Amino acid sequence: MSETLKQEELVQIDYKPPGTGWMDTKPDIRKGKINWGAVQKSVEYLDLPNPRKWSPTDDDWQLPKDWKKIILEGMRERIEKFRTFQVFMDICVRCGACADKCHFFIGSGDPKNMPVLRAELLRAVYRKEFTLAGKLMGKMAGARDLTEDVLKEWFFYFFQCTECRRCSVFCPYGIDTAEITMMGRELLSLVGLEIDWITTPAANCFRTGNHLGIQPHGFQDSVDFAVDDLEDIIGIKVEAPVNKKGAEILFVVPSADYFGDPHYFGFLGYLALFHEIGLDYTFSSYASEGGNFGLFHSNQMMKRLNSKIYMEAKRLGVKWVLGGECGHMWRVINQYMDTMNGPADFLEVPKSPITGTVFENARSTKMVHITEFTADLIKNGKLKLDKSRNDQWRITFHDSCNPARAMGILEEPRYIINSVANNFFEMPENCIKEQTFCCGGGAGLGTEENMEMRLRGGLPRANAVKYVHDKHGVNVLTCMCAIDKAVLPTLIDYWVSGVQIGSVHELVGNALVIKGEKERTLDMRSDPLPGKEETEDV
């Protein structure tokens, strides 16, 4: 898809509003701008409504006969259950503070990708059905009837939101537009309007414990393969326990970490780090996925998927949980865990067995982010590091939306990178940390059929990378989210050729001086370390 899209065409963005009013302007539903509908088998496996074979490009979406009643009743239930939903429906004053903050609006020029107008798609129906002014005055009060065309518009635009929450940073009323998107997607799900790259990974996660559908013996094989690869690099065969009962710590990673590049290089970094500090930990072949695609589907799906981590922590008898470089796992844990599945009182407040640091911020969830853990090790002088082993890289860092905005993990990754590497360069301050731009493929939108919108939505991030690439010679963009690592290679290769994607713990693995290691000539990618190129040639 990307080969047929010319940069000069995508950057011709028309910000002029259409000649028709927003209620009368129909969406351009076509390949490149949509995700395929969920496959029937996955919908049936998850016991979701209205399983059938369908496509968003069809004229007939095969809705239930009483679809309108189902949607409106679902909206009523959520208004009564979630106080924030009604508050967010009522308090927006359309000030426009969020209008130009969405990467999809910046990349497409479509007014309905302004967060305020995307939310208005739902608000207009809410006014019509649940407010007196809307019932009496209709369109004059911004109210709108719920029709099939309106429902299709919901599907089109609520699946052009990555739930990144950048808009919420700028809202003076604190409206979390991502939660409006979440409500919109829940309502769509009630009548069977799902996308496959959310539903199938969720079904896989129930079936085998991870989004990719890797079975327990396959997970064990992947871990064993990584142990062998790391031995080739450092000359030591490390232990990587799976389903070890009584270990102190359960370590949970996104499945892409042990399956695909560039995630895998960070996975090797984890194994090297844990070996060096002698960490008593275990993986779980059931909780072999930290990512939670339920966040992109519904509250109930999020709750169901999150529970497996804590069920395994209890089954294996660990003290606390450590989580790897993942994005949406951490928003679920940090913002929703306590009210969905927690508090996890059967676990202990996390305490580093190496430094003695008590992670008070995890007192309720009992789960610590890997960058918090590693930064603490470095601060307490527990690691010997050779920064020159990363001199082949000129590094910038992409703040992954969920760890940054949902957790406030802003300084830990930067502290780690500056401790293990000599050449770090920040992107402009208005697009990092709390204001970071999204990768353009989050929330289940990172598919091939959606490529045009991925490239448009990722343009603001790519533009910032191009700035530091041109100014400082940056050749690697690091991040700590599995979706970022999956989506950014295509995006950056398209817009900024010559920049690789890497993980924070890949850099840690490179710099880590391990007791008993052989003379290191290779980095975590099995490429020659700086100054060791001739050694490898020999």
Side-chain angles (χ1 to χ4, degrees):
M1 183 69 180
S2 59
E3 295 176 358
T4 66
L5 298 171
K6 305 299 182 184
Q7 284 191 15
E8 56 269 23
E9 296 174 2
L10 285 189
V11 295
Q12 298 301 315
I13 302 168
D14 184 6
Y15 293 104
K16 182 180 178 181
T20 53
W22 74 265
M23 290 190 185
D24 302 315
T25 306
K26 291 191 175 182
D28 179 21
I29 299 177
R30 60 175 172 82
K31 185 178 179 181
K33 288 190 167 186
I34 56 163
N35 293 80
W36 295 140
V39 300
Q40 184 172 340
K41 180 175 65 175
S42 297
V43 176
E44 291 173 341
Y45 190 88
L46 293 170
D47 196 27
L48 296 173
N50 196 19
R52 80 272 187 218
K53 184 178 181 181
W54 74 288
S55 170
T57 56
D58 295 339
D59 290 331
D60 181 4
W61 284 14
Q62 304 174 53
L63 298 172
K65 289 183 180 180
D66 57 346
W67 67 267
K68 185 172 181 178
K69 179 181 178 182
I70 293 171
I71 292 286
L72 294 179
E73 184 57 33
M75 186 178 288
R76 184 185 306 277
E77 290 175 1
R78 283 157 181 77
I79 289 169
E80 294 173 354
K81 183 177 181 181
F82 302 110
R83 183 180 300 174
T84 54
F85 185 27
Q86 181 159 12
V87 170
F88 292 163
M89 289 292 97
D90 287 335
I91 67 172
C92 176
V93 296
R94 296 158 199 80
C95 67
C98 67
D100 61 346
K101 304 307 186 294
C102 177
H103 46 284
F104 278 120
F105 171 69
I106 296 171
S108 71
D110 186 339
K112 291 181 187 176
N113 273 325
M114 293 180 180
V116 59
L117 190 45
R118 188 188 294 115
E120 197 71 11
L121 301 177
L122 203 56
R123 284 195 185 101
V125 174
Y126 163 79
R127 289 193 198 98
K128 179 67 176 180
E129 299 294 335
F130 299 98
T131 70
L132 181 61
K135 289 176 180 179
L136 295 177
M137 301 176 64
K139 196 172 182 178
M140 291 179 61
R144 190 186 197 192
D145 288 320
L146 179 59
T147 65
E148 283 197 33
D149 284 343
V150 169
L151 197 66
K152 290 182 177 182
E153 196 171 45
W154 283 11
F155 180 87
F156 187 69
Y157 287 105
F158 287 134
F159 286 107
Q160 282 186 32
C161 170
T162 52
E163 302 179 10
C164 80
R165 303 172 72 242
R166 188 173 195 265
C167 53
S168 67
V169 173
F170 298 91
C171 177
Y173 286 87
I175 296 173
D176 189 342
T177 309
E179 292 209 353
I180 297 176
T181 291
M182 291 164 69
M183 290 296 102
R185 291 186 180 187
E186 285 198 20
L187 296 174
L188 290 168
S189 176
L190 295 177
V191 293
L193 297 182
E194 322 269 4
I195 69 170
D196 193 52
W197 192 227
I198 292 175
T199 310
T200 291
N204 286 341
C205 213
F206 279 108
R207 183 169 56 86
T208 68
N210 58 76
H211 293 153
L212 300 175
I214 299 171
Q215 297 184 20
H217 64 277
F219 173 71
Q220 180 70 68
D221 288 345
S222 296
V223 173
D224 291 343
F225 190 85
V227 167
D228 290 341
D229 273 356
L230 185 61
E231 183 179 11
D232 291 340
I233 295 170
I234 67 174
I236 300 171
K237 193 174 187 69
V238 305
E239 291 187 9
V242 177
N243 297 331
K244 174 187 173 184
K245 289 193 173 183
E248 183 166 0
I249 295 166
L250 171 63
F251 183 50
V252 181
V253 298
S255 52
D257 273 10
Y258 52 83
F259 188 79
D261 296 346
H263 321 63
Y264 182 68
F265 310 130
F267 188 76
L268 297 180
Y270 300 148
L271 298 183
L273 174 66
F274 296 163
H275 168 80
E276 175 60 14
I277 62 177
L279 191 67
D280 180 17
Y281 77 102
T282 184
F283 291 105
S284 162
S285 61
Y286 175 65
S288 53
E289 177 67 71
N292 190 327
F293 273 39
L295 176 65
F296 313 143
H297 181 274
S298 65
N299 284 274
Q300 284 302 310
M301 190 70 71
M302 188 194 329
K303 178 178 179 178
R304 291 164 70 185
L305 293 179
N306 186 66
S307 66
K308 72 181 186 301
I309 295 175
Y310 289 89
M311 291 166 63
E312 278 298 88
K314 178 178 283 189
R315 183 182 74 85
L316 295 173
V318 301
K319 293 181 179 179
W320 56 278
V321 186
L322 181 65
E325 294 186 16
C326 182
H328 42 300
M329 168 169 67
W330 287 105
R331 184 176 177 200
V332 173
I333 295 296
N334 196 51
Q335 293 194 320
Y336 300 112
M337 161 62 191
D338 282 353
T339 53
M340 289 192 312
N341 305 106
D345 292 336
F346 59 91
L347 297 173
E348 298 179 8
V349 177
K351 178 180 179 180
S352 172
I354 313 303
T355 67
T357 297
V358 177
F359 295 95
E360 291 288 348
N361 59 304
R363 175 170 289 277
S364 181
T365 65
K366 310 300 193 298
M367 193 165 180
V368 173
H369 193 283
I370 186 66
T371 57
E372 299 174 284
F373 183 75
T374 302
D376 176 64
L377 292 171
I378 294 172
K379 182 179 179 181
N380 285 282
K382 299 300 182 180
L383 303 180
K384 184 177 181 181
L385 301 166
D386 182 355
K387 297 169 72 169
S388 69
R389 290 180 176 178
N390 282 309
D391 280 353
Q392 71 274 35
W393 298 119
R394 296 179 70 79
I395 305 159
T396 194
F397 179 69
H398 164 67
D399 289 276
S400 302
C401 300
N402 286 309
R405 276 189 284 268
M407 288 192 77
I409 296 186
L410 307 173
E411 301 305 328
E412 291 88 343
R414 289 171 169 82
Y415 177 74
I416 293 171
I417 292 171
N418 280 308
S419 298
V420 301
N422 289 311
N423 305 301
F424 176 67
F425 306 93
E426 288 278 20
M427 287 180 277
E429 63 180 10
N430 64 340
C431 63
I432 61 172
K433 299 185 177 180
E434 292 93 342
Q435 299 185 42
T436 184
F437 277 115
C438 181
C439 65
L445 308 187
T447 63
E448 291 299 310
E449 70 269 16
N450 191 45
M451 187 59 75
E452 180 181 335
M453 290 311 298
R454 277 177 55 187
L455 296 177
R456 288 185 180 280
L459 175 59
R461 169 47 75 224
N463 192 46
V465 175
K466 187 177 188 305
Y467 174 82
V468 289
H469 173 63
D470 293 346
K471 183 175 182 179
H472 301 294
V474 162
N475 60 3
V476 66
L477 172 63
T478 54
C479 55
M480 52 185 195
C481 168
I483 287 180
D484 285 335
K485 293 169 192 172
V487 169
L488 287 171
T490 299
L491 176 75
I492 298 303
D493 185 59
Y494 183 83
W495 290 113
V496 196
S497 182
V499 177
Q500 300 295 311
I501 309 301
S503 73
V504 174
H505 278 78
E506 173 187 350
L507 302 179
V508 172
N510 289 344
L512 190 62
V513 180
I514 302 170
K515 293 184 290 290
E517 68 180 5
K518 69 178 184 181
E519 181 183 356
R520 289 279 296 277
T521 60
L522 301 175
D523 64 12
M524 293 294 116
R525 300 183 180 220
S526 292
D527 291 333
L529 288 169
K532 301 295 184 178
E533 295 84 358
E534 293 184 4
T535 304
E536 282 304 298
D537 290 340
V538 173

